[in-house]
Amino acid sequence: MTVFGLPLHILLVHAVVVLVPLAATGGLAIALLRWARLRYGELVLVGAFGAAVSTYIAQESGENFAATFEQVSPKMAEHFAIGDSLLVWAVLLFLGVATLVVAQRLVDRNHSQGRLMLLVGALVTVVSAVVAVVQTVRIGHSGAVAVWGGL
């Protein structure tokens, strides 16, 4: 599938490159700062959902694009291999952020489960945010090297 002659994957990866680091940064903020969680929790949740969805769509379009190649270079194979890893981390980031948002509401209502959920949500969010950004950079770099040959 193409848009204005460009493969759809080439266009969709730009959403991932913007939304994953943005959601990760917001996730770190709401995991570590109560005031940020209260003020921006829902916004970060929407961003994390967008990051996960755009990652899924980019991955699917990448697999469809890859199927059009008769021969795959080792650099392209590396891109394909590490490209499969991001979706898990983007979904975990979304789930961590969702846990934080729900947990904060429980804490605000004096539910005892809220504090433990905040801890678990913060741990999942921090780890997945860091790994998701690292993987986004690695995947993007390997794709650029595969296309441009490291120029």
Side-chain angles (χ1 to χ4, degrees), residues 15 34 49 59-60 79 104:
R34 182 179 184 274
F49 180 76
Q59 186 175 338
E60 289 296 310
H79 178 67
Q104 186 60 56

mmCIF file of all heavy atoms in Angstrom, residues 15 34 49 59-60 79 104:
data_model
loop_
_atom_site.group_PDB
_atom_site.id
_atom_site.type_symbol
_atom_site.label_atom_id
_atom_site.label_comp_id
_atom_site.label_asym_id
_atom_site.label_seq_id
_atom_site.Cartn_x
_atom_site.Cartn_y
_atom_site.Cartn_z
ATOM 1 N N ALA A 15 4.910 8.570 13.078
ATOM 2 C CA ALA A 15 4.009 8.645 14.236
ATOM 3 C C ALA A 15 4.629 7.922 15.427
ATOM 4 O O ALA A 15 4.571 8.411 16.561
ATOM 5 C CB ALA A 15 2.648 8.045 13.895
ATOM 6 N N ARG A 34 3.462 13.212 41.593
ATOM 7 C CA ARG A 34 2.027 13.147 41.868
ATOM 8 C C ARG A 34 1.273 14.278 41.168
ATOM 9 O O ARG A 34 0.215 14.058 40.583
ATOM 10 C CB ARG A 34 1.780 13.202 43.372
ATOM 11 C CG ARG A 34 0.323 13.097 43.739
ATOM 12 C CD ARG A 34 0.126 13.136 45.262
ATOM 13 N NE ARG A 34 -1.258 12.948 45.603
ATOM 14 C CZ ARG A 34 -2.157 13.940 45.661
ATOM 15 N NH1 ARG A 34 -1.804 15.180 45.403
ATOM 16 N NH2 ARG A 34 -3.413 13.690 45.966
ATOM 17 N N PHE A 49 -1.809 5.275 24.481
ATOM 18 C CA PHE A 49 -2.665 4.463 23.611
ATOM 19 C C PHE A 49 -2.317 4.720 22.150
ATOM 20 O O PHE A 49 -2.168 3.781 21.357
ATOM 21 C CB PHE A 49 -4.145 4.775 23.885
ATOM 22 C CG PHE A 49 -5.083 3.972 23.032
ATOM 23 C CD1 PHE A 49 -5.318 2.640 23.313
ATOM 24 C CD2 PHE A 49 -5.719 4.554 21.952
ATOM 25 C CE1 PHE A 49 -6.180 1.886 22.521
ATOM 26 C CE2 PHE A 49 -6.587 3.820 21.152
ATOM 27 C CZ PHE A 49 -6.816 2.477 21.442
ATOM 28 N N GLN A 59 4.105 -1.650 12.475
ATOM 29 C CA GLN A 59 4.666 -3.003 12.394
ATOM 30 C C GLN A 59 3.946 -3.824 11.322
ATOM 31 O O GLN A 59 4.594 -4.498 10.515
ATOM 32 C CB GLN A 59 4.555 -3.702 13.750
ATOM 33 C CG GLN A 59 5.240 -5.033 13.801
ATOM 34 C CD GLN A 59 5.218 -5.636 15.206
ATOM 35 O OE1 GLN A 59 5.061 -4.929 16.189
ATOM 36 N NE2 GLN A 59 5.370 -6.934 15.287
ATOM 37 N N GLU A 60 2.643 -3.749 11.298
ATOM 38 C CA GLU A 60 1.877 -4.486 10.284
ATOM 39 C C GLU A 60 2.201 -3.983 8.872
ATOM 40 O O GLU A 60 2.394 -4.774 7.952
ATOM 41 C CB GLU A 60 0.373 -4.364 10.552
ATOM 42 C CG GLU A 60 -0.099 -5.140 11.754
ATOM 43 C CD GLU A 60 0.080 -6.640 11.587
ATOM 44 O OE1 GLU A 60 -0.331 -7.192 10.555
ATOM 45 O OE2 GLU A 60 0.657 -7.266 12.507
ATOM 46 N N HIS A 79 16.749 -5.101 10.862
ATOM 47 C CA HIS A 79 15.650 -4.166 11.122
ATOM 48 C C HIS A 79 14.354 -4.920 11.403
ATOM 49 O O HIS A 79 13.633 -4.588 12.349
ATOM 50 C CB HIS A 79 15.484 -3.216 9.936
ATOM 51 C CG HIS A 79 14.360 -2.245 10.089
ATOM 52 N ND1 HIS A 79 14.357 -1.234 11.022
ATOM 53 C CD2 HIS A 79 13.176 -2.133 9.413
ATOM 54 C CE1 HIS A 79 13.234 -0.542 10.924
ATOM 55 N NE2 HIS A 79 12.504 -1.059 9.955
ATOM 56 N N GLN A 104 -4.312 6.222 41.018
ATOM 57 C CA GLN A 104 -4.437 7.551 41.622
ATOM 58 C C GLN A 104 -5.877 7.831 42.025
ATOM 59 O O GLN A 104 -6.135 8.409 43.071
ATOM 60 C CB GLN A 104 -3.931 8.636 40.668
ATOM 61 C CG GLN A 104 -3.895 10.009 41.307
ATOM 62 C CD GLN A 104 -2.986 10.063 42.519
ATOM 63 O OE1 GLN A 104 -1.812 9.732 42.417
ATOM 64 N NE2 GLN A 104 -3.509 10.482 43.663
#
